Amino acid sequence: MKAKKRVVTYGKGVPPSRGAASSPAPKTHRTPTVRTIRSAIVEPRSAPPPRPASSAARPVGQPVAGPARSAVDLSVDLGRGLVLRNPILVASGTFGYGVEYADVVDIQRIGAICCKGTTLRPRQGNRPPRVTETPGGMLNSIGLQNPGVDAVLERYATQWAGWQVPVIVNVAGESIEDYVGVVRKLDLVPGIAGVELNISCPNVGKGGLQFAIDQEAAAAVTRAVRRATELPLIVKLSPNVADIRPIAAAIAAAGADALSAVNTLSGMALRADRSGPFLGNTYGGLSGPAIKPVALRIVYEVAQVVDIPVIAIGGVTGLDDVLDYLAAGAVAVQVGTAIFADPTLPVRLVDQLATECGRRGLASYELLIGTALPTRPNAASSKGVEYRP
Amino acid sequence: MQLVDAELQESRQVLPGQWLQQYHAPALAVSARAGQFVHLRTGDWSGLVLRRPFTINTADPATGAISLHFREVGRGTAWLSRLRPGERIDMLGPLGQGFQVDSRSRHLLLVAGGLGIADLRLLVDEALRDGRQVVLLYGCRDASEVYPSSLLPDEVEYLVATDDGSVGHRGFVTDLVLDYEAWADQAFACGPLPMLRTLAGLVAGRKGRLGVATLGRKRGGGRSVPPGSPAARKKAFLQVAMEQNMGCAVGACLGCVIWGVNGPQRVCREGPVFAFDEIDWDATAGAATHKR
């Protein structure tokens, strides 16, 4: 039985039946966490020392007073006090700063918003054209256009502080100093719920991507940012690597609170007349349903080598995709490209996930997590995909 | 901006490969302004992940109907052209900044290249409703693509230029502009990038050619207005509607930018209508879009 392989641990003093009782008020950082027993083939890695819950951690995503939408517990703890009301996030770059879609979507019902990639100084981004549709997906090469961290904070932080939905700032840079500089400015600013470290943007010329493909560099930038802030720290992984597992493990060991996987796949398109590359930047990042199998594989691999929460990103267009990623070991998902076609999708997924849990008689969606992870040691699937040398 | 479930009422091919579709969407018909657009969601069967932006061709608040005029260029528009009356479609709109007509403008010069007419068609209606005179210059390849005058109100003065001379002036539509630049109070254009760029060049030299004619008209009283604001666009003689591949259409993804003199400008949010002097024409032409 697969279920026997999973050990559900609860925070102290919280009875297992708590989820059904649906009294949101006393909920704090103590939510049940599901740990999967790792298969024996994975080299043992010293688990990151348990960090004491920081007193500086703000009550992010604090449950709101008001009628509970359902009796199912959808809350998820991403570490360091970042507790989301539900595991449906919106991916960086697809939702702007949260204000753009406010006319047509009840954004406060989303689990969390990852804002557009933010850098130390303003960036104009790449030359157009920047986006094009591809079969089952799209290519983008925005090039991290943003007004810089100071302008972002000035324009949006006050609004964010008044929102129920936590805002996770996606941070990008070209050097460790850049990342640390941005994060220092974000630290202790009201309205910033956490940091997502974009070490994997394929669309910037120098530096950016190197952090994601080299485990030493990835660990170094994670460690530096970890030292610079008490904010919950999520690191976004790149799929453009040969083997993600040592990189993920190194980032986790360096102090990340959670991982998100994956960023876009590097790709390109040609002009209709084939006279050259279509995108102004030549290369772009592929997203959308086309990359879901790749992202699923990476989530599945990463979930087996780290103990910290994994957030899945890649081609989520419906409840089935959410359930797939949860089964592969993710504790939450980010919706990205699908928002462009269907802005209301994230909010609907929250409802659908609750309904699905209710239909299966689950008090918490966490029982859906990791059900597809390998149960046998030495399973072929735990060794990585077969075509690797 | 809202999400609307619009019902197709009528669909017909007005030119080879070009369709005119009328949808029942009262919320859009009431709020749409000339130059704004809607973002359509295509059917799921096709595996298309992005919406398609279409300018609002006409809007009738009385009947709640809006119309779209498009050319079949790819799978999304092919799907759209096969919709049957009664079928419903998901529209996000109205989006973007429309044309800014100065309340004192009496004479409007409209310049359309090919399908660019779709962006200007609603402006024709609005201008005539407000009692302005409209000259529409239309350029296309040959006689088979000429926009039918039956689709235009009678009050419009309508001139055609074709590349091969099969109808009207032989040559570019921009050749006709000089005849009207002194007459016009404001000009509005939509069409291929080379056409818009030529127009912008013409307009940049207009004051010099007209000389004293501009001296008596101090629009805005010399007050400085921030570039890109409606007031600044009203002051600029020429406004152009731009196009670009689009992602979200609400300003979130930064995918649809064109290059302006002050850096990247989102076509969906700052645009699609810009004053001609807001755009860096060299950079924009260098990164010309190629429709797929």
Side-chain angles (χ1 to χ4, degrees):
Chain A
M1 292 289 287
K2 284 175 181 172
K4 286 183 181 168
K5 281 290 180 186
R6 294 185 297 108
V7 182
V8 183
T9 58
Y10 288 89
K12 60 184 174 195
V14 182
S17 61
R18 179 195 52 84
S22 98
S23 167
K27 196 181 295 168
T28 58
H29 317 327
R30 298 291 175 189
T31 46
T33 49
V34 176
R35 296 213 171 185
T36 49
I37 291 181
R38 283 175 287 137
S39 54
I41 187 124
V42 177
E43 60 277 14
R45 183 183 55 74
S46 61
R51 289 177 297 274
S54 161
S55 59
R58 284 164 291 280
V60 205
Q62 207 170 27
V64 278
R69 297 225 175 222
S70 71
V72 179
D73 180 16
L74 294 182
S75 69
V76 52
D77 186 351
L78 296 180
R80 213 167 271 254
L82 180 57
V83 180
L84 312 184
R85 283 185 297 159
N86 64 68
I88 309 293
L89 295 81
V90 290
S92 171
T94 61
F95 216 71
Y97 297 93
V99 298
E100 288 84 352
Y101 275 110
D103 279 2
V104 288
V105 186
D106 183 4
I107 56 171
Q108 307 300 343
R109 294 202 52 217
I110 299 169
I113 292 171
C114 298
C115 82
K116 174 74 189 157
T118 303
T119 53
L120 193 55
R121 278 172 286 277
R123 282 182 62 102
Q124 292 210 321
N126 292 329
R127 292 276 157 171
R130 291 176 173 181
V131 295
T132 186
E133 197 175 46
T134 59
M138 70 178 280
L139 282 167
N140 85 81
S141 66
I142 310 300
L144 291 173
Q145 180 185 340
N146 80 99
V149 61
D150 291 326
V152 168
L153 289 178
E154 188 189 322
R155 288 180 208 172
Y156 303 109
T158 322
Q159 282 187 71
W160 291 344
W163 288 359
Q164 293 162 14
V165 54
V167 176
I168 296 166
V169 176
N170 185 286
V171 174
E174 289 169 359
S175 65
I176 290 181
E177 292 73 38
D178 281 4
Y179 286 103
V180 170
V182 177
V183 168
R184 284 230 171 89
K185 287 173 188 273
L186 298 176
D187 201 26
L188 301 179
V189 174
I192 311 291
V195 169
E196 183 179 53
L197 222 52
N198 178 4
I199 58 168
S200 47
C201 184
N203 296 329
V204 289
K206 41 186 175 177
L209 190 55
Q210 282 173 2
F211 291 113
I213 59 176
D214 176 40
Q215 72 181 77
E216 302 296 329
V221 68
T222 307
R223 217 175 291 120
V225 170
R226 177 76 289 163
R227 277 199 298 269
T229 182
E230 282 294 307
L231 284 168
L233 174 60
I234 303 166
V235 179
K236 190 166 182 174
L237 303 175
S238 170
N240 305 312
V241 296
D243 189 351
I244 194 71
R245 291 170 298 167
I247 299 170
I251 293 171
D257 296 308
L259 297 174
S260 53
V262 294
N263 209 317
T264 53
L265 276 71
S266 186
M268 74 179 289
L270 300 181
R271 291 181 196 148
D273 60 4
R274 298 188 177 79
S275 60
F278 176 81
L279 296 170
N281 185 48
T282 303
Y283 305 113
L286 180 64
S287 62
I291 73 163
K292 188 196 153 191
V294 179
L296 190 64
R297 186 258 297 171
I298 289 177
V299 167
Y300 181 80
E301 290 178 350
V302 170
Q304 294 174 58
V305 297
V306 300
D307 282 338
I308 57 180
V310 179
I311 305 165
I313 321 168
V316 173
T317 57
L319 183 64
D320 281 339
D321 300 319
V322 176
L323 297 177
D324 280 357
Y325 279 124
L326 293 178
V331 303
V333 300
Q334 293 185 11
V335 187
T337 305
I339 292 170
F340 296 156
D342 188 359
T344 61
L345 178 67
V347 173
R348 284 211 321 277
L349 285 176
V350 174
D351 293 335
Q352 288 174 5
L353 183 59
T355 308
E356 176 70 11
C357 291
R359 195 181 64 76
R360 297 192 191 190
L362 306 177
S364 163
Y365 88 100
E366 291 177 348
L367 298 168
L368 300 168
I369 297 172
T371 56
L373 290 172
T375 54
R376 290 178 292 120
N378 292 329
S381 54
S382 65
K383 295 174 185 164
V385 290
E386 278 71 20
Y387 57 78
R388 286 195 190 125
Chain B
M1 172 173 78
Q2 48 192 313
L3 276 167
V4 172
D5 190 28
E7 182 187 334
L8 180 63
Q9 292 177 316
E10 190 191 343
S11 176
R12 61 192 171 116
Q13 203 168 359
V14 288
L15 287 169
Q18 292 188 29
W19 297 77
L20 188 62
Q21 294 187 332
Q22 181 176 303
Y23 291 89
H24 185 65
L28 297 178
V30 170
S31 53
R33 296 289 167 267
Q36 289 187 305
F37 65 99
V38 290
H39 214 30
L40 292 192
R41 188 175 182 192
T42 56
D44 283 337
W45 62 270
S46 47
L48 305 176
V49 302
L50 295 178
R51 286 174 180 255
R52 301 310 200 245
F54 293 97
T55 192
I56 298 168
N57 185 60
T58 60
D60 186 349
T63 61
I66 66 165
S67 71
L68 309 177
H69 179 189
F70 60 91
R71 180 184 282 135
E72 198 181 316
V73 290
R75 294 201 296 156
T77 43
W79 176 84
L80 197 59
S81 69
R82 286 197 285 274
L83 273 189
R84 298 289 181 78
E87 290 189 77
R88 308 185 79 86
I89 190 166
D90 181 359
M91 290 188 185
L92 179 65
L95 299 163
Q97 311 295 322
F99 293 104
Q100 300 289 340
V101 181
D102 193 309
S103 58
R104 291 165 293 186
S105 293
R106 302 291 308 145
H107 301 158
L108 304 190
L109 177 64
L110 276 48
V111 187
L115 203 60
I117 184 72
D119 278 68
L120 300 169
R121 182 63 188 78
L122 186 53
L123 183 60
V124 171
D125 288 349
E126 287 185 3
L128 293 176
R129 185 198 63 206
D130 296 342
R132 307 177 210 279
Q133 291 182 40
V134 176
V135 169
L136 173 63
L137 309 179
Y138 180 82
C140 59
R141 212 168 301 151
D142 54 41
S144 69
E145 294 183 1
V146 173
Y147 190 71
S149 57
S150 59
L151 294 175
L152 288 166
D154 293 340
E155 297 89 335
V156 178
E157 186 175 338
Y158 178 41
L159 282 89
V160 175
T162 51
D163 293 352
D164 63 358
S166 49
V167 176
H169 171 76
R170 177 180 186 148
F172 292 126
V173 65
T174 47
D175 302 342
L176 304 172
V177 170
L178 289 178
D179 297 341
Y180 291 91
E181 66 171 358
W183 169 85
D185 297 316
Q186 276 186 283
F188 305 89
C190 182
L193 198 55
M195 181 197 106
L196 297 178
R197 196 181 182 196
T198 308
L199 273 178
L202 283 175
V203 169
R206 173 175 174 269
K207 281 192 171 173
R209 283 193 301 279
L210 297 182
V212 294
T214 59
L215 281 181
R217 302 169 53 204
K218 287 188 183 168
R219 282 195 177 162
R223 276 175 293 125
S224 68
V225 284
S229 65
R233 287 179 182 172
K234 275 180 196 169
K235 269 179 91 171
F237 178 71
L238 173 67
Q239 291 170 40
V240 292
M242 304 296 287
E243 62 176 24
Q244 181 61 278
N245 278 22
M246 209 167 269
C248 69
V250 300
C253 76
L254 311 179
C256 63
V257 304
I258 56 169
W259 225 255
V261 290
N262 293 323
Q265 304 284 319
R266 296 171 294 185
V267 169
C268 69
R269 201 71 182 219
E270 283 84 35
V273 175
F274 296 90
F276 77 100
D277 52 4
E278 284 176 61
I279 292 168
D280 182 342
W281 291 101
D282 293 335
T284 303
T289 63
H290 296 261
K291 277 210 168 291
R292 293 187 73 83

